[in-house]
Amino acid sequence: MAKYSAPDTHKLLAMTETLLQMSHIMTPQAQTEALQEVINFHDWRYYILAQPLISDSQYDTLFKKLQQLERENPDLSNENSPTQRVAYSISKDFPSVEHLSPMLSLDNSYNADDLYTFDTQVKKLCDRNDIEYTLEPKFDGTGISLVYENDVLLRAVTRGNGAVGEEITNNIRTLRSVPLQAHFSKYGIYRIEIRGEVLIRKDKFEAMNRQRRTNGEKEFANARNTAAGTLRLQDSAEVAKRNLEAFVYYVGYAVDANENSLLIKTLKTHSELLQMLHDLGFKVPHSPQEFQHHNSIDAVIAACEAWQIRRDDYAYETDGLVVKVNALALQEICGFTAHHPRWAIAFKFKARSAATTLLDVEFQVGRTGAITPVAKVQAVPLAGVTVSSISIHNEDFIKEKDLKIGDRVLIERSGDVIPQIVQSLADVRNGSERDIVFPKNCPACNSELFKPEKEAVWRCLNPQCPGAGNGANYPFRIQTRYGYGGFGRKTSRAFF
Ligand code: IVH
């Protein structure tokens, strides 16, 4: 039994729309309660099902609204509010372990203005204007924590709910990028907790899927979910075959044999920390492209923009970059909220997938007489453009994707590629969805449409059709439907 039934899902989606678009019609109390309920639901869709129904930026809008309301009305906040914890996903199969320090999230930024706001706040908190920032990829994998004691890997734990995770040491031991022993004592460190991300190189992931196709096995949906799922496999031998790698990027805790903290004292900067981990055999963002220093937020912003353009050239999936204050002493001054550090922020790349609603389908007549169904969707920002119309190609595509009017659909746009509908979320239907009926007659001239056997495309064969263009397009139209009879047949000989 799913935690949320289909009717719950519909109610919560409708509430989401209201909260995003017209929350002002509600009282602060009603808004707070609704936001808590809706955010818990979206956490579950994201962390447990890995099937988000809203974009990251829509989620952030809801989360920030709730934080603000709870700040302004402390009596409306309670310890069960999603602002008071991080979403969790603990399976019963692995022992639960408490992290030595909580595994927090990062605050998100989406544009230069957000980064200027972050910079202003850092400068205010540190009471100085010369801040050095580092910039590194935001790896789109699954978070882990590694604890070393006395120079050996003691345990590896998933992020879990941020406070408690699942112990997956045996599986992590199969990753060659994670040293089983590391000479921390050289730095006076007795126990250390390191944070990182487990992921699969893009080319290895594609090769794995090619192999699965050849073997007739079901392909993996995406690299992130595959990495997360693999870490929870019971069979470590299978884990070893999956090409997982671990990058590390943060130390939350390091003590000497007398339990005295060594951060700040021994290690002064984030770059020194990463250099130490690199020298000890860990995989860290290290090349000049992967790890940068900048002396101003303007330089950070320029670097973020340059990275975003070339994000596809990087060997690993990233969903953004992470900007960090380099000096650990300044990091300590900035401190943390219950949710994220104040000394770091993620710069999120423009989303490439989003969920929206298929409102209607229009049928357009192309220059060649081909009828193209075009899905009208509720406008949604996607990778830098607002999408409201998407070609859904032909009748076969509609059948294959099981599309209906009223459906919640996932759309994607990668690189310069035009947006595509990748999936209809059939499990959130409420019964009001309607089949898409292909017209029998041309929407422009009403002539009967024609579809040759073995072709997916319906065509209008009327050379005078105003929708299909006029005489200028005529020869082209005829060329493309040679041999089918109809209006163009005689003239088509001229071409073949
Ligand atoms: S630093 C105190 N650096 O993004 C928190 N996190 O959305 C320090 N992530 O929970 C985190 N790449 O799992 C940091 N280069 C990077 C990262 C990174 C990916 C993950 C991490 C975090 C999540 C927040």
Side-chain angles (χ1 to χ4, degrees), residues 104-106 108 136-139 143 159 196-197 249-250 322 324 336 341 343:
L104 298 180
S105 291
L106 288 168
N108 289 329
E136 64 199 48
K138 183 170 187 305
F139 298 104
R159 180 169 186 272
E197 202 87 359
Y249 45 65
Y250 175 65
V322 184
K324 296 177 181 171
F336 297 84
W343 44 262

Side-chain angles (χ1 to χ4, degrees), residues 56-83:
D56 285 359
S57 73
Q58 286 172 320
Y59 179 89
D60 283 346
T61 306
L62 296 172
F63 200 90
K64 285 186 176 153
K65 240 181 212 174
L66 179 58
Q67 280 179 319
Q68 192 189 343
L69 277 161
E70 290 181 349
R71 233 187 347 262
E72 290 165 1
N73 310 278
D75 49 317
L76 295 179
S77 180
N78 66 69
E79 62 188 22
N80 296 324
S81 167
T83 57

